[in-house]
Amino acid sequence: MNTPFIELIDAWLTDALTPREEEAFIIMLEDKANYDILERVIAEKAEAQSLIGLEDVNRREKSLLALQQKLEVLNKELPVVPLIRPLYKRIWAAAAVLLVLAAGIYFLLPAGQQKRFVAVPPTAKSSDIAPGRNGAILTLSDGSAIVLDSVKDGLVANQNGAKIMLQQDALTYASSGRKTGEVTLNMISTPRGRQFRVVLPDGTKVWLNAASSVKYPTAFSGRERRVTVTGEAYFEVAEDAQAPFYVGINRETEIQVLGTDFNINAYGDEPVIKTTLLTGSVKIVRGNRASILKPGEEAAVHTINAPNTTISIQPADIEKVVAWKKGIFDMEGEGTATFMRQLSRWYDLEIVYNGPVPERKFHGKLGRDLQLSQILDVLSQFNIRYQLTGKVLTIE
C-alpha cells in the first residue's frame, strides 16, 4: 500500500498536487528518509524509461524551479531548517536523471561501484572536437566525386536519364524518362564523422552511419534489385514482389529481401556482421548456408578466424540496434573496444591503447550530438584514463 508521501510523489510527477498537498510535500522533504524515498522512486521510473519524453522533462524542470523558489522562501521564513538548502540541491541531482534521459544522455557507473546516474556536463572545452553531422560524398559513374556537404538543395547531377536532387539533407533520384541499356552505378559514402540518407531510384530509403557506403544503379531494371553496402546502414525497402531486393555485404554474405525494414552492421573492424530485422522477412546467405529472419530477430555472422562460419539467430534489442539512427549511442552491456570503435567513427579519431584494452561494461546512453570532451568526462567516471593529442585518443 502506498504511503501518504509516495502518493504525494505520484501527484507531483503528474502535476496533480493541490496547494495544500504541495505545502505538505515541501515540509515532508525536510525529512532525509523522505528524500531517500523520492530519489528511489525517480531512479526506478528513470530505469524503467517511463519519464523520458521531452514534455515530461520540461514539466518536471518547471516544477523543480518552483519548488526551489519555495524552499528558499521557507529557508528565510523558518527559524530552524538545517536540511532544506542541501536537500533541494540533492533533489536537483536526482532530477538530473530525468533531464539527461530526455536527451538520451545518461550513463550508469560500472558494475561493482555504487549504482548511480551520471549526467553529462553541459559545457564543452574550447579546444574540442565536435560530433559528426550530415554529409557524404556522391561518386558518379565516371568516377567523379561530389562532396554533398557543400552543395545547396537542388539538382546535383544527371545520370543515365535520372535527375539526382539534394533535398533537406537527403539525395533522391527522379527518372526523366530517358534510359539507355547500360547499367550506371553511383555510390554514396560517408567519411568518419558523417551520416546521410539517400532515396534509391525504386523508392527504397537508406540511412548510412559514419564510415559507410552504399553502391547502386541509377535505375533498377530486370527481375532483381541489387546494391552493395559497407559499414552500417538502415533500409526501408520499397515493395516489389516481381523484383526481389539484394544487399551484398562482401563476396561471401548477401541479404535477400522482398519488402522490409532492417539494419545491417558490417564494419570491417567488427568481429561479426549483424543483420537485424524490424519488419518483413529477409534471408541471410553466406556460402552454402542460409537462414531466414523473423521480425525482432538478429543474425550474426562471424568474420574473423571463421572459415566455416555458421549463421546464428537470436532475439534482437531493436531499440539499441537503431539508436544510432535516432542520434543516440546505446552502449548498454557493451565493452570498451566496441564503444571506442563507435567513437572513432563518429568523432574521426584514431584510438590507441597503451597496454591491454580496459575491461569495462557500459550501461546507458549518450547523445551523438555531444562534444568529445563531454564523452571523455563520462569515460573518467568509469576510471578509464586517456590522453587526447589532436585526433589521437590514447587509452591508458
Side-chain angles (χ1 to χ4, degrees):
M1 178 180 294
N2 285 350
T3 67
F5 183 64
I6 289 181
E7 292 174 355
L8 289 177
I9 293 175
D10 291 338
W12 173 68
L13 289 171
T14 56
D15 289 335
L17 285 175
T18 66
R20 186 181 294 272
E21 288 173 336
E22 188 176 68
E23 182 179 349
F25 183 60
I26 294 173
I27 293 174
M28 294 178 78
L29 283 175
E30 297 177 33
D31 187 334
K32 179 182 181 299
N34 284 334
Y35 167 77
D36 291 340
I37 293 174
L38 173 63
E39 188 179 49
R40 174 176 55 80
V41 170
I42 289 179
E44 288 175 353
K45 289 182 177 294
E47 287 195 70
Q49 295 189 350
S50 60
L51 289 170
I52 61 175
L54 184 57
E55 293 181 0
D56 224 359
V57 172
N58 288 338
R59 186 168 62 249
R60 298 277 54 76
E61 186 174 23
K62 291 178 181 178
S63 176
L64 285 166
L65 282 171
L67 180 59
Q68 177 187 3
Q69 293 169 356
K70 292 182 179 181
L71 285 169
E72 289 177 340
V73 170
L74 282 176
N75 192 35
K76 293 177 182 177
E77 294 179 351
L78 298 178
V80 179
V81 281
L83 290 177
I84 283 181
R85 191 162 296 276
L87 182 60
Y88 82 71
K89 290 181 179 179
R90 292 173 66 196
I91 293 173
W92 271 104
V97 171
L98 304 177
L99 299 177
V100 297
L101 273 175
I105 311 170
Y106 76 93
F107 254 69
L108 292 176
L109 288 184
Q113 298 187 32
Q114 182 181 4
K115 196 175 185 182
R116 64 181 178 87
F117 286 90
V118 178
V120 175
T123 57
K125 300 172 184 176
S126 57
S127 58
D128 212 341
I129 295 179
R133 55 187 172 86
N134 283 324
I137 299 171
L138 168 64
T139 303
L140 302 176
S141 58
D142 62 0
S144 59
I146 300 173
V147 180
L148 299 176
D149 304 40
S150 56
V151 176
K152 295 182 179 180
D153 281 7
L155 181 66
V156 174
N158 283 284
Q159 289 279 276
N160 195 22
K163 292 183 178 180
I164 308 175
M165 306 290 293
L166 182 64
Q167 299 174 329
Q168 298 180 342
D169 293 324
L171 205 67
T172 63
Y173 285 73
S175 174
S176 62
R178 296 181 296 102
K179 230 176 3 179
T180 68
E182 65 180 284
V183 176
T184 306
L185 296 176
N186 282 183
M187 182 172 71
I188 291 285
S189 56
T190 52
R192 290 186 175 195
R194 297 291 186 272
Q195 63 183 16
F196 202 71
R197 180 168 65 94
V198 58
V199 181
L200 301 183
D202 65 337
T204 292
K205 298 176 182 178
V206 185
W207 284 258
L208 290 176
N209 203 346
S212 304
S213 71
V214 57
K215 192 173 185 179
Y216 51 91
T218 57
F220 290 104
S221 59
R223 296 183 178 180
E224 60 185 31
R225 297 168 288 168
R226 288 187 176 272
V227 303
T228 57
V229 165
T230 66
E232 184 165 24
Y234 178 89
F235 283 81
E236 290 182 0
V237 178
E239 293 189 19
D240 185 349
Q242 303 304 314
F245 196 93
Y246 295 84
V247 181
I249 299 174
N250 52 35
R251 294 181 179 179
E252 299 177 328
T253 308
E254 184 177 70
I255 312 296
Q256 298 180 9
V257 186
L258 286 176
T260 189
D261 300 348
F262 61 98
N263 191 86
I264 296 174
N265 186 320
Y267 285 111
D269 58 356
E270 295 290 347
V272 297
I273 295 172
K274 291 182 179 180
T275 304
T276 307
L277 182 63
L278 282 74
T279 63
S281 177
V282 299
K283 179 188 289 187
I284 316 298
V285 180
R286 182 174 174 86
N288 59 358
R289 303 176 188 274
S291 295
I292 295 178
L293 280 184
K294 298 177 182 177
E297 291 183 336
E298 180 175 87
V301 178
H302 290 266
T303 59
I304 299 177
N305 298 325
N308 300 314
T309 298
T310 58
I311 302 171
S312 60
I313 308 295
Q314 60 188 12
D317 184 342
I318 298 297
E319 286 301 313
K320 179 178 179 180
V321 170
V322 300
W324 68 269
K325 182 172 167 281
K326 300 177 181 179
I328 296 172
F329 289 114
D330 189 333
M331 302 311 301
E332 185 64 33
E334 296 290 4
T336 305
T338 299
F339 190 13
M340 292 300 105
R341 287 194 293 269
Q342 292 198 28
L343 293 184
S344 72
R345 297 171 197 135
W346 191 234
Y347 292 92
D348 190 14
L349 298 171
E350 179 184 352
I351 307 296
V352 176
Y353 294 98
N354 187 9
V357 179
E359 294 184 3
R360 301 286 190 278
K361 284 293 182 182
F362 294 91
H363 301 277
K365 303 176 182 179
L366 286 167
R368 283 162 61 98
D369 59 347
L370 295 175
Q371 298 286 322
L372 179 62
S373 63
Q374 295 171 289
I375 301 287
L376 297 181
D377 285 335
V378 172
L379 292 183
S380 65
Q381 296 282 352
F382 285 78
N383 296 324
I384 293 179
R385 299 174 60 188
Y386 60 84
Q387 182 175 350
L388 180 66
T389 306
K391 286 204 167 186
V392 178
L393 180 63
T394 302
I395 306 298
E396 303 292 342

